[in-house]
Amino acid sequence: MHDQETVTSMPDAPAQAQPGSVPGNPFAPPGPAQGFAANPFAAPAVHPPYAQGEPVPPPPIAPDGPGQVPYGYPGAYGWPGMHPMPSNGMGTASLVLGIISAAVFCLWPLAILSGVLALVFGLLGRGKVRRGEANNSGQALAGVICGASGIVLGLAMLAFVIATS
């Protein structure tokens, strides 16, 4: 079906057929005579700039000049003029440890240990707030309070265990 000639695929009939001549392939692509290039995959006739013997310019140079880029970038942790992020880790750790020490006072060794850690981290966190390095003074204060109450409850549990044994 596909190799049958149709009206649109039939070649133009010559004005007068020559006796003994063989007609060409009707499915061959048109040649240069019909206005097409001989090789459709050939390079274009227009050459890129610098291909006609002109000198090629050197690559651009950084404002600091040629050489290696220094380690890190200035202002890599935010925009220029931006304050550093607050380090609220001490206050948060104090609050978490204080809650744990107050909640598990029946396990008195754990309650006393985590309460002491909560007190230490809370006081360090409050110092950071005073220096302006952190902004969670409420968390640090709550950690100190919960840690102190955990220590008191842990010691009360220890006294209860000693009194009953």
Side-chain angles (χ1 to χ4, degrees):
M1 288 276 192
H2 296 292
D3 59 350
Q4 293 182 357
E5 293 181 353
T6 61
V7 175
T8 57
S9 66
M10 292 186 66
D12 294 335
Q16 198 167 14
Q18 301 292 332
S21 67
V22 178
N25 184 358
F27 299 106
Q34 281 84 12
F36 293 99
N39 184 359
F41 300 107
V46 178
H47 298 288
Y50 311 121
Q52 299 166 348
E54 296 178 20
V56 178
I61 297 176
D64 297 338
Q68 283 189 331
V69 177
Y71 178 75
Y73 294 102
Y77 298 108
W79 293 279
M82 187 175 162
H83 297 291
M85 296 291 293
S87 61
N88 294 331
M90 291 290 181
T92 304
S94 170
L95 180 62
V96 169
L97 288 170
I99 290 172
I100 289 173
S101 75
V104 297
F105 69 92
C106 292
L107 303 171
W108 58 270
L110 181 64
I112 294 172
L113 178 66
S114 61
V116 169
L117 289 175
L119 275 174
V120 170
F121 288 154
L123 294 174
L124 289 175
R126 299 277 291 177
K128 281 190 169 198
V129 169
R130 270 187 245 109
R131 288 190 304 270
E133 299 172 8
N135 59 4
N136 62 344
S137 64
Q139 282 185 347
L141 179 62
V144 168
I145 293 170
C146 288
S149 65
I151 290 172
V152 169
L153 288 172
L155 290 174
M157 190 67 187
L158 174 63
F160 179 74
V161 168
I162 291 173
T164 57
S165 59

